[in-house]
Amino acid sequence: MSRYAFIRQGIKPFLTVATALVFVVFFNSYVSKTTAPLAKSLESSNDTKATQHVEAQVSIPATKPDTNLLVDKSAEQGSEINHSRELIIKNAPKWRFDGVLIDYFTELKQRAEQGDAEANYLIAQNLKYCFNAPLDAEALEATLAESYEFSDAGDTQNRALEKYEYCQGLDLATRRSFYSYLAEAAENGSAYAQQTFAGLTPEFYMKSQFPDKLSRAEFIKNRDNFKQRKTAFLEQAAKQGSEQALMSLASMYYSEQVGEHSAAKAYAINRLIMEITQNNDVYNRYAWFEQRQYPTLSDEELSIANNLYDQWLLQIKQNGTLYPKN
């Protein structure tokens, strides 16, 4: 065999191997191009199924609201409330004056007659404070004598003396007029005046406004009118973010003193207090009330409560104010 013949025989195995390698590369490329669309199609199909599965889970409506106290209420269906907006805190003005009230009374009356809601509120608070103060020295002596029966006689006597001196010069008729000043301020939109109605009981109202004996029918009529007016003012204050008004309404509704659907309304207001308060103790107390009430409500009552909650919270957010309980 010649040298060249040997070389040719050596080249043949090399060409065979090279040809095989080229075939393998070509085959892998062909398979990759052929199967890639199929794999992509399968991947897309799996993603679509996964998306549909997630969407199916999200679209399932809850039959009752989430009882988690930290739940974002804006996620509830139908809510249009902007929870990112901070409420402006409003603290009630100081209504007690230095010295004696009579020194400020004439100026306050002039302001009130010109429609000043704050002046009406200040007069009302002061006259209400003075209503039970001793009118004269004889009444003061009687009050001091009665205080000896109390265990804190010294403190009681000091308070009586302080009240007597502060309220000197105002007759009983003037002191009774606190209610007309308070109602005037409340009618003019003063949340301070409106929430003050939370502390007025029907008994005190009747005693202070009707010194003469009324017939039973007149008594009931005037008392019921007061209750309706009180409820209306408290609702107006509540929608301005008054914690005191909300607390009073929750108590009134829970004890079924006013209106229908009282249990649902009490539950909704408890949630409102939890939502707006910045006081941890207040939050925890009303969270406890909310947790106790929730299992007792029917689906219809929960629906009523949720609607009331959404409506009132939206109004509170729109008003943008918070009147914390002092």
Side-chain angles (χ1 to χ4, degrees):
M1 178 182 299
S2 66
R3 181 163 59 91
Y4 295 99
F6 176 77
I7 291 174
R8 290 179 65 85
Q9 287 180 351
I11 290 174
K12 186 175 182 180
F14 173 78
L15 291 174
T16 302
V17 171
T19 302
L21 290 173
V22 170
F23 176 78
V24 170
V25 171
F26 174 80
F27 179 78
N28 288 339
S29 176
Y30 174 79
V31 171
S32 176
K33 291 180 179 180
T34 304
T35 58
L38 177 60
K40 187 175 181 180
S41 176
L42 290 173
E43 182 180 358
S44 176
S45 176
N46 289 337
D47 289 345
T48 301
K49 290 179 179 179
T51 302
Q52 290 175 346
H53 178 65
V54 171
E55 289 177 350
Q57 288 181 330
V58 171
S59 64
I60 297 174
T63 55
K64 291 185 178 180
D66 194 337
T67 54
N68 182 0
L69 299 182
L70 302 179
V71 67
D72 182 6
K73 301 296 190 301
S74 64
E76 294 187 24
Q77 186 176 3
S79 176
E80 299 177 358
I81 301 165
N82 179 12
H83 286 266
S84 63
R85 179 180 177 184
E86 293 185 0
L87 300 176
I88 299 173
I89 296 177
K90 298 281 191 177
N91 292 309
K94 178 185 175 182
W95 55 265
R96 281 283 302 272
F97 299 103
D98 296 330
V100 294
L101 176 57
I102 195 67
D103 291 343
Y104 305 87
F105 195 66
T106 300
E107 180 185 350
L108 286 173
K109 281 187 67 177
Q110 291 174 349
R111 287 173 51 190
E113 289 169 358
Q114 295 172 359
D116 188 328
E118 183 183 46
N120 276 285
Y121 166 75
L122 293 174
I123 292 175
Q125 287 285 58
N126 277 280
L127 294 182
K128 182 167 69 71
Y129 170 77
C130 290
F131 179 74
N132 289 320
L135 280 169
D136 50 34
E138 184 178 350
L140 175 63
E141 287 297 326
T143 300
L144 294 177
E146 291 176 359
S147 66
Y148 285 113
E149 302 177 4
F150 305 133
S151 57
D152 59 342
D155 292 337
T156 302
Q157 290 176 346
N158 288 336
R159 287 194 297 269
L161 285 168
E162 179 184 357
K163 210 170 191 180
Y164 170 74
E165 292 173 359
Y166 182 76
C167 302
Q168 275 282 61
L170 299 170
D171 59 28
L172 185 56
T174 300
R175 298 181 188 190
R176 289 186 191 279
S177 66
F178 81 85
Y179 183 81
S180 61
Y181 285 104
L182 186 63
E184 181 70 17
E187 291 285 2
N188 289 330
S190 168
Y192 304 123
Q194 291 166 353
Q195 69 181 8
T196 301
F197 276 80
L200 295 182
T201 64
E203 291 74 22
F204 177 69
Y205 166 75
M206 296 301 296
K207 174 185 176 182
S208 65
Q209 301 305 300
F210 300 98
D212 299 328
K213 188 174 181 180
L214 299 176
S215 67
R216 179 173 176 80
E218 290 176 323
F219 181 91
I220 293 174
K221 178 182 178 181
N222 283 283
R223 184 194 60 189
D224 290 349
N225 287 340
F226 166 76
K227 286 183 178 180
Q228 292 175 4
R229 200 175 195 188
K230 173 181 177 177
T231 302
F233 283 142
L234 289 178
E235 288 184 355
Q236 292 174 35
K239 293 171 186 177
Q240 294 193 64
S242 166
E243 288 186 3
Q244 179 63 66
L246 286 166
M247 291 174 183
S248 181
L249 285 172
S251 176
M252 290 166 61
Y253 285 132
Y254 187 73
S255 59
E256 300 183 359
Q257 294 181 19
V258 290
E260 58 181 355
H261 305 303
S262 55
K265 291 178 180 177
Y267 175 77
I269 293 174
N270 287 340
R271 288 181 59 200
L272 284 168
I273 295 170
M274 292 164 56
E275 180 66 32
I276 69 172
T277 189
Q278 296 186 349
N279 184 303
N280 290 334
D281 291 335
V282 171
Y283 178 90
N284 290 332
R285 181 163 68 252
Y286 283 88
W288 184 76
F289 291 154
E290 188 268 349
Q291 289 178 334
R292 286 188 63 195
Q293 283 182 280
Y294 178 79
T296 68
L297 299 177
S298 66
D299 290 340
E300 179 184 4
E301 288 174 321
L302 284 172
S303 178
I304 293 170
N306 291 336
N307 288 334
L308 179 65
Y309 170 85
D310 285 340
Q311 292 169 10
W312 282 29
L313 185 55
L314 180 59
Q315 290 182 295
I316 291 172
K317 293 292 183 179
Q318 288 175 339
N319 286 322
T321 52
L322 171 64
Y323 295 79
K325 185 179 184 300
N326 296 327

